Amino acid sequence: MADETKVKRSFFQKNAEKEIKREEEEEKKVPMSKFRYGLIAVLSLIFLGFELYIALVRPIVSQISYSLHLSLSLMIIFLYKPLAEKYRGKKWLWIIDAACILMAAYVAIYFITNVNRLVYRIMMVDQMLPVDLIASFGLLIILLISVHRTLGLALTVFVLFFIGYAFFGQYISGPFKYSGMTWQHFGEMLTLSPDGIYGSPLATCVTTIFYYFVFGAFFATCGGGQVLIDLGMKLSDKTAGGPAKASVVSSCLMGMVSGSAVANVTTTGVFTIPLMKKAGYKPEQAAAVESVSSTGGQIMPPIMGVGAFIMAEMIGIPYARIAVDALIPALGYYLAVFFLVHNIAKKNHLGGKDSSTHYTSAPVLPRLYRLLPVIVMVVMIFMSMPLPTSALTGIALSIIIGFLSKETRLSPKQLLDCCMTGIKQAANIAIPTAACGVMIGIVVRSGAANKLTTIINSVGNSHLLFALFITMVGCLVLGMALPTVAAYLIANILFAETLSKLGLDLLSLNMFIFYFGVIAQITPPVCVASFTAAGIAYADSWKTGWTAFFYAIVSFIVPYAFIYQPAILLNGSIGEIVYACIMLAIAVFFLAGAIAGYLFAPIKQLWLRGLLFASGVLVAMPGLTTDIIGYVFGFAITLYLIVTARRQKKLAAVKA
């Protein structure tokens, strides 16, 4: 049976599993040579100095700052992931890596030396010079190589597909046929257009995201991350399903800062997964709970996933407002998961006060001061301080607070390593973001987004739900094969205009797209967060992926809820917002009971579970009639189950 499951696995799933195994193997490799470490350290310090200069001294013209950021990111990636290390014994492969590094340096030098000409150049009028084409296509080649090195084949195939469409779209038939591009126009679009590689997504990496990755590295190293984990574990450790609830709470708290599903899994999962297994959860259940909990970190304010920063840039809304408006949907997500794990635990008699499986750690209260950097940073964000300034303040406070304790005090070497860790993470994000610029430029120039809009509009004008469903499927498909930031960017270009023409506001539709791009990280066949958790739990990755998807179904209602009930995004009066919050809580309460098959008592009848699930959906839908029907049936079933639970308790007492 296990062999049959392996045969059925998709190309993208196999590729994702291969990449995770490769990452695990890389961690076990011998330390890099002193020369390579020194080279990375020098580049990292140059990178840090450049970013500090544009944040604290004065900004640099975008043609230079964007190209320098990407070129440094490429050089660092090629040094961290050289071919010669992958294929040991073939040192001649360093020639390829050296050529890629030199090309990245050449691109930066090209922009620095040609900046005056490029600033005053007229798009689509001035001719592309040979030096322009060399820089454009040279950058494209090394960018594709780095995408393959960092993210595997999936995103590389996507980019190549769009490049193929750019040149061969004129030869296809149907609604997506267009006039095509010349090599000169394609090269111009790549590097000299605001819709290409150096577009607004990469701009956000340069001006904002870089600082938050460095902050995350310092905050975690100086003890703040561990405090969040310990706090979450302590809050729910001794309740029914304690380890699973601890996973939900600790991943929620850690997700406020990290904003990365895989980072959350690897950070909190090493504590929560063994505890869940010891408490009686199956390996795939423990891994699924952790992956679902960790994935929600990308939608949890104040520091959401990278896509949230890019969303703020693209739609022109302050990040602080996005973070505030995202709070209720994020809490709805975690409430759904919390209800679910509670019901599963009660159904299977897992954990509780009398359980011998509890989390132990040093007292949390004396270490709460280590959370000061993130608290100050959040306050600064909501005071409308510049985002880079807020992050840099958080970094400075993390270092200062780290010096207050011997166990978190950083030596010069640790300080450098911490910088290098944050910069490596920032470089890893710059690569897919730049690659998305290639796809975005092609979609914009070809008019593919408008053509898709016309197709969906023909049905969506009279059926908003159908248009939303198509968008959801599109986001899930993109998110299965692409990182969240890439999935969000492409989905935004393809679907945002369509939904805006159906009367939805920019924030609601972008949150809808972003939300499902995040959920795709736990949607088979490619679910990197689930595969990572499965590795920690020693569980079957395929079973883990489907179990996580099953657990996350409750959360699928949240995006539809805030589309039909804008008050969930704080768009309405206080009364409307309060009602929307209560409605969302009741809806996920019913849905969690239906999915778990337990609500105060086991739900053995399949039809009763189906009716309870339908009640949750009806409550979340707009309209007084659907609300009344959902409430009546949902509470009637709940009351029936409460009575059933009391009867079972009395019978058990009599037998005892």
Side-chain angles (χ1 to χ4, degrees):
M1 188 67 183
D3 293 337
E4 290 177 7
T5 306
K6 289 180 181 178
V7 171
K8 292 177 183 177
R9 292 178 182 175
S10 71
F11 159 76
F12 286 121
Q13 182 199 354
K14 291 176 182 176
N15 183 63
E17 289 178 327
K18 188 188 297 182
E19 288 304 311
I20 290 169
K21 288 179 181 177
R22 182 174 60 80
E23 292 289 343
E24 291 172 350
E25 289 172 2
E26 283 185 359
E27 291 178 0
K28 298 175 183 177
K29 286 180 182 178
V30 294
M32 67 176 68
S33 67
K34 290 183 179 180
F35 174 77
R36 183 152 63 100
Y37 175 86
L39 199 53
I40 294 173
V42 170
L43 287 172
S44 297
L45 291 174
I46 292 171
F47 207 160
L48 182 64
F50 150 68
E51 289 285 348
L52 290 175
Y53 180 83
I54 64 174
L56 301 176
V57 183
R58 67 183 181 89
I60 302 173
V61 64
S62 61
Q63 282 88 344
I64 293 178
S65 60
Y66 298 176
S67 63
L68 192 55
H69 182 98
L70 181 57
S71 292
L72 285 167
S73 297
L74 287 164
M75 287 188 274
I76 286 171
I77 291 301
F78 285 123
L79 285 168
Y80 269 116
K81 301 185 182 230
L83 276 177
E85 189 172 274
K86 185 177 182 181
Y87 301 99
R88 294 181 182 180
K90 297 182 179 179
K91 293 185 178 181
W92 63 269
L93 289 173
W94 272 110
I95 297 172
I96 297 174
D97 292 311
C100 291
I101 292 169
L102 289 173
M103 176 53 73
Y106 168 79
V107 171
I109 294 169
Y110 155 78
F111 276 98
I112 293 170
T113 55
N114 288 273
V115 65
N116 291 328
R117 176 176 66 87
L118 297 177
V119 166
Y120 296 104
R121 187 180 179 280
I122 301 175
M123 289 288 296
M124 305 299 290
V125 175
D126 292 344
Q127 290 290 319
M128 289 286 287
L129 302 178
V131 68
D132 300 330
L133 291 171
I134 291 172
S136 292
F137 288 102
L139 177 61
L140 177 63
I141 291 169
I142 61 173
L143 181 60
L144 287 172
I145 294 172
S146 66
V147 167
H148 185 262
R149 297 268 184 98
T150 56
L151 298 157
L153 203 54
L155 183 55
T156 312
V157 170
F158 262 80
V159 178
L160 289 172
F161 172 80
F162 277 85
I163 293 173
Y165 177 66
F167 291 106
F168 301 107
Q170 58 188 315
Y171 301 114
I172 65 174
S173 58
F176 289 99
K177 181 177 181 177
Y178 84 110
S179 58
M181 288 187 198
T182 64
W183 286 102
Q184 289 78 10
H185 287 159
F186 182 76
E188 185 180 48
M189 179 274 297
L190 282 178
T191 53
L192 304 181
S193 163
D195 297 319
I197 291 173
Y198 297 122
S200 57
L202 184 64
T204 310
C205 290
V206 178
T207 59
T208 303
I209 293 171
F210 174 89
Y211 306 102
Y212 283 86
F213 273 112
V214 176
F215 164 75
F218 276 101
F219 181 73
T221 304
C222 294
Q226 190 60 50
V227 172
L228 288 176
I229 294 171
D230 292 345
L231 184 62
M233 298 292 283
K234 292 284 188 182
L235 284 175
S236 51
D237 186 37
K238 295 182 180 180
T239 60
K245 290 178 182 175
S247 171
V248 176
V249 177
S250 59
S251 295
C252 174
L253 293 173
M254 193 63 191
M256 291 179 179
V257 180
S258 73
S260 168
V262 175
N264 267 8
V265 169
T266 54
T267 304
T268 62
V270 293
F271 300 105
T272 61
I273 289 174
L275 279 175
M276 282 189 273
K277 289 173 66 178
K278 192 175 179 182
Y281 287 87
K282 295 177 182 177
E284 59 269 19
Q285 287 179 318
V289 169
E290 178 57 43
S291 63
V292 173
S293 303
S294 294
T295 299
Q298 294 183 80
I299 57 172
M300 190 68 199
I303 311 299
M304 301 162 68
V306 174
F309 289 102
I310 294 176
M311 185 196 307
E313 179 73 22
M314 293 186 72
I315 64 180
I317 293 177
Y319 177 77
R321 184 189 162 190
I322 290 177
V324 170
D325 290 354
L327 181 60
I328 295 175
L331 291 175
Y333 177 96
Y334 276 107
L335 189 65
V337 179
F338 195 88
F339 281 155
L340 182 70
V341 298
H342 173 80
N343 289 333
I344 291 173
K346 295 292 284 186
K347 180 181 180 179
N348 298 311
H349 309 289
L350 301 173
K353 290 182 180 179
D354 300 327
S355 172
S356 60
T357 307
H358 296 300
Y359 179 73
T360 56
S361 71
V364 174
L365 194 60
R367 294 180 290 146
L368 283 179
Y369 70 92
R370 294 179 187 173
L371 301 181
L372 186 62
V374 75
I375 294 170
V376 171
M377 187 181 70
V378 170
V379 170
M380 291 180 70
I381 290 173
F382 290 108
M383 289 176 63
S384 299
M385 297 289 286
L387 292 175
T389 303
S390 304
L392 289 171
T393 303
I395 293 169
L397 281 174
S398 296
I399 296 171
I400 293 169
I401 287 174
F403 272 101
L404 299 178
S405 173
K406 286 184 179 180
E407 62 182 9
T408 57
R409 192 172 298 154
L410 300 179
S411 67
K413 173 70 164 55
Q414 290 172 322
L415 200 63
L416 176 61
D417 286 342
C418 201
C419 284
M420 290 170 65
T421 299
I423 290 168
K424 180 186 177 184
Q425 292 170 346
N428 275 323
I429 286 297
I431 302 307
T433 306
C436 284
V438 179
M439 296 186 278
I440 290 170
I442 293 167
V443 169
V444 170
R445 291 295 180 91
S446 65
N450 292 331
K451 293 166 184 175
L452 184 63
T453 296
T454 303
I455 294 170
I456 298 178
N457 244 356
S458 62
V459 183
N461 274 328
S462 55
H463 298 91
L464 175 60
L465 183 61
F466 182 72
L468 290 172
F469 180 78
I470 292 176
T471 303
M472 178 193 76
V473 173
C475 293
L476 290 175
V477 170
L478 288 169
M480 287 177 196
L482 304 177
T484 303
V485 62
Y488 165 72
L489 285 169
I490 298 302
N492 174 277
I493 295 297
L494 293 176
F495 302 115
E497 186 175 349
T498 301
L499 296 180
S500 66
K501 289 182 178 179
L502 298 178
L504 300 179
D505 68 274
L506 277 175
L507 182 58
S508 296
L509 65 89
N510 273 273
M511 282 293 294
F512 185 89
I513 290 169
F514 179 58
Y515 200 110
F516 279 113
V518 169
I519 291 180
Q521 301 298 301
I522 45 174
T523 303
V526 182
C527 33
V528 180
S530 298
F531 292 163
T532 305
I536 297 173
Y538 300 100
D540 182 272
S541 60
W542 194 230
K543 286 182 180 179
T544 299
W546 282 109
T547 304
F549 177 72
F550 182 73
Y551 288 173
I553 286 177
V554 183
S555 308
F556 274 56
I557 200 69
V558 178
Y560 287 95
F562 64 64
I563 286 290
Y564 286 109
Q565 302 279 357
I568 292 175
L569 292 176
L570 305 182
N571 185 9
S573 65
I574 294 177
E576 289 172 337
I577 292 170
V578 171
Y579 172 75
C581 291
I582 295 172
M583 175 276 299
L584 182 62
I586 293 172
V588 298
F589 178 75
F590 291 158
L591 291 168
I595 294 295
Y598 183 96
L599 189 64
F600 299 105
I603 310 174
K604 298 178 180 179
Q605 304 93 329
L606 190 60
W607 66 269
L608 195 60
R609 290 177 69 174
L611 188 58
L612 186 61
F613 187 89
S615 300
V617 173
L618 288 171
V619 169
M621 288 178 66
L624 183 61
T625 304
T626 55
D627 284 355
I628 292 173
I629 295 172
Y631 287 135
V632 168
F633 280 98
F635 283 121
I637 294 170
T638 303
L639 183 60
Y640 165 74
L641 292 170
I642 290 173
V643 172
T644 302
R646 288 181 176 177
R647 286 175 180 171
Q648 291 175 350
K649 193 173 182 180
K650 287 180 180 179
L651 286 173
V654 170
K655 289 180 180 179

